[in-house]
Amino acid sequence: MAEKATAPQKSKGLWESPFTSSLAKRDRVTPPEVIFGYFLGPFGGLLASGIFTSQLQNYFTDVLRLDLSFLTALQLVSTVLIVIANLMVGQLIERTHCLAGKARPWILLSALTLAVSTVLMFFVPFEGMARMVWIAIAFNLYYSVAYPIYNTANSTLVAVSTRDTEKRGTMASFTNIAGFGVMGAGTMVFPILVSFFLKEDQNLWLLAMSAIALFTLITVYLQFRFTRERITEEVSASQTEGEQKEAPSLARQLSSVTHEPMWWVIIVAYLLYQFSGAFKNGSMVYFCKWVLDNSYFGTAEAWGASQSLLSIMGALPMAAAILFVIPLCNKFGKQRVCIVGMIVGVIGGIIAGLGGSIVPVAAGVAIKCLGSAPLGYMILAMLADVIDHIEYKNHIRTDGLTMSIYSCIAVAATPICNAVFSGILAGVGYDQAANVALGVAAQTAAAQTAIASCYIWVETVAFAICGVLLLFFTVEKNLPAEQAALKERNEGAAPEAERA
């Protein structure tokens, strides 16, 4: 009797293997997905960036002793590459069609690129001109390659994970908590490590950053495993195979976003928020070294303790804010809560600017950071809402373009502001070889005034402008009806075979 033929088993694809398949199996967002995909993963992915925002300029000027003119030119020229890279990554994401989604494959790639480029920034085996060339290459490997890949894909995940606005707000909040957490690590923990242990020892800097690179590799991989793109799946199910291969043209995407007033409101508000924050973070170490009187901690060399205190005073209100920001936004709307937050932030900035000593400055910083929390936590959710609004009006998703521009702003803020700050330092006679033991007496009054302005007043003014801008952000009013229509539209467009 002939043996019955059996159908050959279909081999599993790349995205179905035990190492690459998604662990987010449910149609609704679950706590493990939020924790690993939107908090721990982003925390690890952004940790090096948080440290760079606070300490990279200090590492370049006071450890490697790089020329200030070189740093200004490097960071300004690199910004062009950064913008181009972010726009390219956004379009690559928009044109990625696979079982893992369109953003998650790039998350997986960035686990490796972030780790490698972080190490190369601190592995500097050369001197003189060769050192500057090495730094220029390593700087751009991180900021023009690794970071755009990760940040654009990471930002896109919130918009494509779910249409549930409350869950979206939660995920955006946790993602931004991670972002603020790495800024806290960069401004609270790392300064103490630098001032008491790493100091100017380049080998110790390399060891510390290598450990951070390993942490990044592990956590970003976990983020990839614990996320899922439900909206990407929904849109893919409504398209034919031929349609899935062709994304909307860049011209059509640009037309859709640039003709939408709500898109401009939130993008400009985020630009002001991010750039002013970069000025604050980049000048913070200098403010603590040369403007504050660190004798409060017993010695002028304890600037790391002053920076940690200011960071703690900023971080605690931000951490506490998560308890009420999401409930308040769900009840009163993101727009209203964020406007009130900006008003509170301006009040805190005025207190810090007029304080004159560590105690009122710390109190003002705490109030200012409390006020910044709503917009900081909700910015991704607000962008995701705008993307849905644009999809409703124009029948296309603009996740890739919008989030690449969002990522451009995020990643370009630090080098641009550090370049401008380097130019300011050079213009006011900043002494790179000043003895920190002399404290405030080591720098000129002009340098101290410029540093204090960058640390306090730039952000305070930006918050006031953001508050006015947000008065025009009204996308939430009709969003529930628009999202219901989108779901009905996609279900109605699904092929018969899919709906059967």
Side-chain angles (χ1 to χ4, degrees), residues 253-273 375 379 382-383 385-387 389-390 393 398 401-402 405-406 409 465-466 468-475:
Q253 293 176 64
L254 279 170
S255 177
S256 295
V257 299
T258 56
H259 284 83
E260 177 49 56
M262 297 299 100
W263 187 88
W264 281 110
V265 167
I266 201 64
I267 285 292
V268 173
Y270 179 65
L271 187 147
L272 290 170
Y273 184 92
L375 184 58
I379 190 75
M382 295 166 86
L383 266 175
D385 291 346
V386 171
I387 290 171
H389 178 63
I390 292 173
K393 291 175 64 177
T398 57
L401 176 63
T402 298
I405 293 173
Y406 172 89
I409 294 170
I465 299 173
C466 284
V468 174
L469 277 174
L470 290 173
L471 291 171
F472 302 95
F473 187 78
T474 58
V475 74

Side-chain angles (χ1 to χ4, degrees), residues 261-494:
M262 297 299 100
W263 187 88
W264 281 110
V265 167
I266 201 64
I267 285 292
V268 173
Y270 179 65
L271 187 147
L272 290 170
Y273 184 92
Q274 194 71 16
F275 271 67
S276 63
F279 265 114
K280 178 191 70 176
N281 293 323
S283 60
M284 187 178 192
V285 59
Y286 299 88
F287 181 81
C288 295
K289 272 186 176 182
W290 312 117
V291 178
L292 282 179
D293 181 3
N294 295 310
S295 60
Y296 179 85
F297 294 100
T299 172
E301 295 179 292
W303 60 267
S306 293
Q307 184 171 356
S308 294
L309 175 62
L310 291 181
S311 298
I312 291 170
M313 292 301 293
L316 289 178
M318 292 289 291
I322 192 59
L323 299 176
F324 60 82
V325 166
I326 296 175
L328 286 177
C329 287
N330 289 339
K331 183 174 183 179
F332 298 106
K334 304 180 189 75
Q335 179 208 29
R336 293 177 182 176
V337 176
C338 289
I339 290 173
V340 172
M342 291 294 95
I343 294 172
V344 172
V346 170
I347 294 172
I350 293 172
I351 293 172
L354 300 179
S357 62
I358 184 65
V359 174
V361 169
V365 166
I367 296 171
K368 181 153 67 79
C369 289
L370 178 65
S372 72
L375 184 58
Y377 286 148
M378 289 293 149
I379 190 75
L380 270 175
M382 295 166 86
L383 266 175
D385 291 346
V386 171
I387 290 171
D388 280 0
H389 178 63
I390 292 173
E391 181 187 6
Y392 172 77
K393 291 175 64 177
N394 298 296
H395 293 253
I396 62 169
R397 296 286 296 180
T398 57
D399 306 276
L401 176 63
T402 298
M403 292 309 175
S404 65
I405 293 173
Y406 172 89
S407 185
C408 278
I409 294 170
V411 71
T414 294
I416 288 177
C417 292
N418 281 345
V420 173
F421 187 59
S422 294
I424 291 173
L425 291 180
V428 297
Y430 176 74
D431 184 3
Q432 288 181 259
N435 185 354
V436 71
L438 298 177
V440 296
Q443 298 291 347
T444 65
Q448 293 174 5
T449 300
I451 291 168
S453 297
C454 289
Y455 178 64
I456 296 174
W457 291 111
V458 169
E459 189 174 54
T460 302
V461 172
F463 282 5
I465 299 173
C466 284
V468 174
L469 277 174
L470 290 173
L471 291 171
F472 302 95
F473 187 78
T474 58
V475 74
E476 294 174 281
K477 183 177 180 181
N478 298 316
L479 189 63
E482 291 176 357
Q483 289 180 327
L486 282 171
K487 185 175 182 180
E488 182 179 351
R489 180 193 299 168
N490 287 329
E491 289 177 348

